[in-house]
Amino acid sequence: MTDSTSTVRGPARGRALAAGKLMVGWVALLWLLEVVDTASGHALDRFGIQPRDPAELVDVVPASFIHFGFDHVAANSIPLLVLGFVAALSGLRRFLLACALIIVADGLGVWLVAPAHSNTAGASGLIFGLFGFVVLSGFVERRPLGIVAGLLIGAYWGTTILAGLSPANEGVSWQGHLIGLLAGVTAAFVVRRRPEPPRPRLPV
């Protein structure tokens, strides 16, 4: 006879630890890049996305890691840390695939529709995408805990997310926010976990 409770808790703790380490490292990288950017006279700002310039397509991914000042990266740090941690609890491979989809789709969307002569960078597109991903994943996969987590995240950050989608916000890429959110919703379907076949129940 085995202790099924400890068997379940072991992997759960391992996933939580791996998710926490990944997101702390991710956010630390954003701060490190901003330190380098500031020390270099904001040389990294050129990795933002300037729309409809074919040469700027190489910046679609780097733009999600670059910020315009410490206030900018600070505003994105807590939402990215929390939403990323919750999303990564379902598995790092699945999480990284979702992030890749969101970052690429958001970057390409910004490249296509951002206002002329603008320069767009920052993790907020990914944050909006992770919000959509976390809120919807539980419903898509019919997981009760995932549904509860999605509802709690939606209740806490929903108003902020809606405000970030308003075109009235000057100096903010509401287009990037909207595209990121839509990409996150899409990712919830694309990388959803398939239900496992029922395990045989053996008496002991």
Side-chain angles (χ1 to χ4, degrees):
M1 181 179 295
T2 60
D3 185 348
S4 59
T5 302
S6 61
T7 302
V8 172
R9 286 178 179 173
R13 283 196 297 267
R15 285 195 299 271
L17 183 60
K21 287 181 177 179
L22 174 62
M23 294 317 303
V24 168
W26 194 316
V27 171
L29 173 62
L30 300 186
W31 280 89
L32 176 61
L33 288 172
E34 187 53 38
V35 169
V36 173
D37 184 44
T38 301
S40 63
H42 302 288
L44 299 185
D45 289 357
R46 65 185 179 86
F47 290 104
I49 300 170
Q50 299 179 42
R52 295 170 293 283
D53 178 355
E56 289 293 306
L57 286 172
V58 297
D59 294 330
V60 161
V61 172
S64 291
F65 297 85
I66 303 302
H67 291 80
F68 300 135
F70 289 108
D71 288 345
H72 188 195
V73 71
N76 283 337
S77 292
I78 297 301
L80 179 60
L81 185 65
V82 175
L83 292 172
F85 174 76
V86 174
L89 287 175
S90 62
L92 295 188
R93 180 177 177 275
R94 178 173 178 262
F95 168 71
L96 292 173
L97 285 173
C99 287
L101 190 157
I102 293 166
I103 288 172
V104 172
D106 186 56
L108 289 174
V110 166
W111 183 85
L112 283 171
V113 306
H117 311 297
S118 62
N119 186 22
T120 303
S124 58
L126 175 59
I127 290 167
F128 275 67
L130 289 174
F131 174 85
F133 180 77
V134 169
V135 168
L136 202 60
S137 286
F139 292 95
V140 171
E141 299 171 2
R142 298 180 181 179
R143 291 183 294 110
L145 287 178
I147 292 172
V148 171
L151 290 174
L152 291 174
I153 291 293
Y156 187 79
W157 263 305
T159 303
T160 302
I161 294 296
L162 288 175
L165 299 176
S166 173
N169 291 324
E170 297 183 2
V172 176
S173 177
W174 66 268
Q175 298 96 334
H177 294 172
L178 177 59
I179 296 166
L181 179 62
L182 294 176
V185 169
T186 301
F189 288 94
V190 173
V191 301
R192 69 185 183 276
R193 291 187 297 185
R194 302 303 193 272
E196 295 181 2
R199 298 180 180 179
R201 301 175 63 182
L202 303 177
V204 293

